[in-house]
Amino acid sequence: MVTVNHQRVPRKRTYLMCSPEHFAVEYAINPWMDVTAPVDTELTVKQWDRLRETLVQLGHEVHLLTPERGLPDMVYAANGAFVVDGAVYGAQFKHEQRAAEAAAHRAFYESQGWRFIAPSETNEGEGDFAYVPEAHGGLILAGHGFRTELPAHAEAQEALGRPVVSLRLVDPRFYHLDVALAAIDDANIVYFPGAFSAASQKVLAQLFPDAVIADDADVMAFGLNLVSDGLNVVLNREAAGLAEKLEAVGYHPVPVELSELKKGGGSVKCCIAELRH
């Protein structure tokens, strides 16, 4: 009997990550952050190192951004830009505590010779943008409601030359698109309907009729904040239920422990930007 696994093909990815050596919860800009909860820096670095090693062992290339003192959230490298077809649409953070991260990302991309497009609208990179290259010819899904402003969606479409579908986030716990939705291969997604407005739920159901639907437990465990190469899905160990759902449709879950970084309101995807040539 042929298993569904044979339909899933991994594709080598190139990623950008930033070490959490300066990570701390020094302020609260999302509902998950608690300034009274201590952070174990040594454990944070160990967990992050294991995540990086996991990506390398799966055959992916990982570039490193140099962390900067005074920017404790730089570990969430996904938020600094959004890269499609070799073009980089830069971030412009909503909160002043993170604003300086944008310049560090820009310096990295320009030093590597990428085509960088500076934003004029508030957006938080891959935190609120997801790319599904084989869905409807190549589609950008974009969240708004808490961080990224709606005009940034139009700006991203002009910058990147790909159609952008705007999705309204309505639950402050899921303040970024990447905690409520993820691409699991080049044509399909997993998402939690309750994070989106009723109209956005209709749009997602129309565009992705075969999507994997997550439940409350999956999303509260930061399970949707995942990274997939089309077969191997790296996700938070706490999201065991979602791992089972993905395995049932032919993906290979790769659980990792990121308990310390969850204290800042992020997990696997938040730590990883994809560099798409």
Side-chain angles (χ1 to χ4, degrees):
M1 180 176 150
V2 177
T3 68
V4 71
N5 270 357
H6 293 159
Q7 299 169 14
R8 310 292 178 203
V9 180
R11 178 169 62 78
K12 182 181 176 180
R13 313 287 174 130
T14 304
Y15 295 125
L16 177 67
M17 297 179 68
C18 182
S19 168
E21 59 195 70
H22 303 307
F23 175 68
V25 180
E26 298 174 352
Y27 45 77
I29 57 173
N30 69 59
W32 303 91
M33 299 178 91
D34 178 358
V35 295
T36 67
V39 170
D40 183 333
T41 304
E42 186 179 347
L43 180 57
T44 307
V45 172
K46 279 183 181 174
Q47 291 178 346
W48 178 90
D49 269 334
R50 182 71 193 115
L51 173 61
R52 181 185 56 78
E53 288 165 5
T54 297
L55 297 174
V56 172
Q57 287 165 3
L58 289 171
H60 305 303
E61 184 178 351
V62 178
H63 293 264
L64 297 177
L65 184 66
T66 304
E68 296 183 15
R69 195 174 298 278
L71 295 175
D73 280 344
M74 261 188 85
V75 63
Y76 301 126
N79 303 153
F82 178 53
V83 187
V84 175
D85 299 331
V88 183
Y89 175 54
Q92 183 171 294
F93 288 86
K94 179 180 177 70
H95 296 287
E96 62 179 352
Q97 293 96 329
R98 299 194 65 186
E101 293 178 40
H105 282 266
R106 179 173 186 164
F108 167 81
Y109 287 108
E110 291 185 337
S111 74
Q112 300 291 310
W114 291 79
R115 183 166 69 86
F116 187 90
I117 301 109
S120 58
E121 304 291 348
T122 299
N123 83 89
E124 300 201 346
E126 279 200 319
D128 273 322
F129 290 105
Y131 187 49
V132 198
E134 292 179 12
H136 308 280
L139 206 58
I140 294 169
L141 303 178
H144 69 101
F146 298 102
R147 297 290 183 85
T148 295
E149 299 288 342
L150 192 54
H153 296 185
E155 186 174 65
Q157 181 167 284
E158 286 300 306
L160 302 171
R162 294 286 183 178
V164 174
V165 176
S166 295
L167 302 168
R168 184 165 164 249
L169 297 162
V170 295
D171 187 327
R173 295 172 301 175
F174 316 123
Y175 59 94
H176 271 158
L177 183 72
D178 71 1
V179 291
L181 178 151
I184 43 175
D185 58 39
D186 287 345
N188 204 10
I189 64 169
V190 56
Y191 70 99
F192 174 63
F196 299 93
S197 69
S200 293
Q201 290 180 40
K202 287 182 180 178
V203 170
L204 286 168
Q206 179 180 331
L207 291 174
F208 298 97
D210 300 321
V212 175
I213 305 299
D215 61 26
D216 287 33
D218 300 329
V219 72
M220 292 302 289
F222 272 73
L224 296 177
N225 197 242
L226 60 80
V227 163
S228 174
D229 62 15
L231 169 64
N232 303 292
V233 182
V234 183
L235 78 170
N236 195 318
R237 187 179 300 281
E238 290 178 43
L242 182 60
E244 288 179 9
K245 291 184 183 79
L246 292 167
E247 195 164 30
V249 290
Y251 296 93
H252 176 235
V254 183
V256 292
E257 179 61 62
L258 283 181
S259 57
E260 292 303 294
L261 287 165
K262 189 180 175 184
K263 294 175 180 176
S267 190
V268 174
K269 176 58 195 168
C270 287
C271 296
I272 301 166
E274 185 169 349
L275 310 185
R276 304 174 186 87
H277 290 277

